[in-house]
């Protein structure tokens, strides 16, 4: 699980052009400087690296109720748990 | 009196070097930019005029920032050449000025490498294309990147006419400035097709040389594909003069037409007509004219182009100098007209005609002075840059030294 979190954090970091300082669970998503297209790229990389399918349509608000990086990590953990064992 | 259009900046990236100075030194020195490379699976060697060493441009492209790291090679090449041309021109693009600036960049194919990579991975490994794939391959990507990067908000689009794309882009940009729709513009072309799939498709035409490119020489074996970009800063003459810009040359003519005959074979009358249109109204002396030929080193082009030059200039054809710089930088396809315009302009500026290298056997069907193998000093007043594309689309640019 820690590896999964680490992978997502690294992917986010690579796209977070607005980030100043550390990337932590508490970092607000709004401070990352991620535009709508960077979201698509992040999801692509998550799917490629972690072998999970992220339900997403770029015409909707990508983050829904999520506010912080921690919320993203939790959402990913949920997806990973749902993933049927290979 | 209509507006005059001048060239105030140059940028070139090619197998002869990563900037205009290296490009010109290569041309004047008769340097051959052709190398052997392995592009696909197996050990099949391909002859290309690649930027060498292969990673030389990649290292440079890394300094161009995040947007370029995510873009296709043909966009990176265009941005590198455009950045050089912009810097060279000394124009500072303020938000107000940006609305008067054009970005017109041609390409024959577009993001061929990204397309090849994405579809290869999809078809052979079942991987999905990267979400940026479309934005990487669309032919207007370089024009858009230039617009975004430099704040150019005037007319901006791609021009595509195979091997005449660059000349069409430059000619059309000049017309736009003449019309008053822009006061200046970055115009040229970019191409990066040195990828396995596209190269195999080229090989299937059986027109590729297996060693060197020998334009106008009887020993010719075909063309060698190159990569790179050539971009000019075009500017309204009055504006350039007012700001005290260094002016390379004036774009005094642009001839374009279509053969209307065949997808592959060029026609003498089409090529001749485009040249005639480019020099119409100019009082030129053939002894001070340089023709940067399309000169692909193919049996289809060389005798046809020679006949067309004879048809336009008559007996004077023996007094002018012709050369094909493709013998050195290869055929840059869509970008050919871009880098060859730079070559023609620098020949005017320096009074030196770059050679046709690898010329080793006279061809009775190609009987002009092609400036074989060694550059020649010549007091030049005019230079033509010929581009004749597959599909019979012709574009010829005429420059005058100022």
């Amino acid at each position: 699980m820690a590896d999964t979190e680490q992978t997502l954090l690294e992917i986010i970091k690579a796209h977070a052009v607005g980030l100043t300082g550390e990337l932590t669970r508490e970092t607000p998503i709004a401070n990352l400087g991620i535009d709508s297209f960077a979201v698509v790229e992040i999801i692509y990389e998550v799917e490629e690296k972690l072998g999970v399918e992220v339900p997403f349509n770029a015409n909707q608000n990508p983050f829904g109720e999520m506010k912080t990086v921690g919320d993203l990590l939790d959402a990913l953990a949920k997806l990973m748990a749902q993933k049927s064992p290979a | 009196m209509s507006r005059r259009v001048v060239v105030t900046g140059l940028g070139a990236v090619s197998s002869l070097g990563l900037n205009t100075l290296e490009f010109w030194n290569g041309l004047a020195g008769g340097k051959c930019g052709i190398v052997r490379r392995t592009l696909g699976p197996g050990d099949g060697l391909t002859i290309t005029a690649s930027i060498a060493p292969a990673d030389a441009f990649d290292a440079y492209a890394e300094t161009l920032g995040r947007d370029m790291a995510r873009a296709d090679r043909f966009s990176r090449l265009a941005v590198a050449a455009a950045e050089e041309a912009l810097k060279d021109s000394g124009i500072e693009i303020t938000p107000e000025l940006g609305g008067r600036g054009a970005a017109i960049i041609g390409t024959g194919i577009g993001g061929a490498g990204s397309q090849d990579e994405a579809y290869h991975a999809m078809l052979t490994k079942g991987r999905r294309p990267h979400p940026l794939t479309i934005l990487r391959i669309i032919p207007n990507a370089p024009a858009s990147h230039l617009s975004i990067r430099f704040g150019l908000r005037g007319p901006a689009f791609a021009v595509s006419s195979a091997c005449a794309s660059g000349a069409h882009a430059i000619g059309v940009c000049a017309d736009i400035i003449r019309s008053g729709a822009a006061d200046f513009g970055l115009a040229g072309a970019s191409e990066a097709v040195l990828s396995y799939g596209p190269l195999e498709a080229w090989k299937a035409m059986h027109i590729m040389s297996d060693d060197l490119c020998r334009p106008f020489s009887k020993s010719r074996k075909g063309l060698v594909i190159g990569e790179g970009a050539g971009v000019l800063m075009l500017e309204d003459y009055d504006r350039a003069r007012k700001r005290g810009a260094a002016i390379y040359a004036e774009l005094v003519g642009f001839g374009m037409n279509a053969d209307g005959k065949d997808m592959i074979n060029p026609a003498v009358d089409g090529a001749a007509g485009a040249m005639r249109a480019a020099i119409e109204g100019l009082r030129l002396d053939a002894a001070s004219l340089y023709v940067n030929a399309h000169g692909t080193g193919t049996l289809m082009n060389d005798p046809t182009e020679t006949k067309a030059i004879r048809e336009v200039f008559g007996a004077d054809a023996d007094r002018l100098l012709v050369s094909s710089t493709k013998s050195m930088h290869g055929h840059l396809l869509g970008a050919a007209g871009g880098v060859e315009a730079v070559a023609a302009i620098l020949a005017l500026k320096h009074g030196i005609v770059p050679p046709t290298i690898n010329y080793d056997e006279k061809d009775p069907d190609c009987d002009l002075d092609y400036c074989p193998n060694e550059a020649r000093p010549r007091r030049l007043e005019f230079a033509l840059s010929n581009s004749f594309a597959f599909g019979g689309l012709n574009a010829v640019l005429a420059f005058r030294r100022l």
Side-chain angles (χ1 to χ4, degrees), chain A residues 14-15 17 37 40-41 44-45 47-48, chain B residues 66 70 127-132 135-136:
Chain A
H15 292 277
V17 290
F37 200 78
V40 175
E41 288 188 271
Y44 175 80
E45 286 170 34
E47 290 181 334
E48 289 290 305
Chain B
R66 178 183 164 82
R70 289 146 45 114
R127 290 192 53 184
R128 295 167 308 159
H130 188 276
L132 276 172
L135 299 181
R136 284 176 180 150

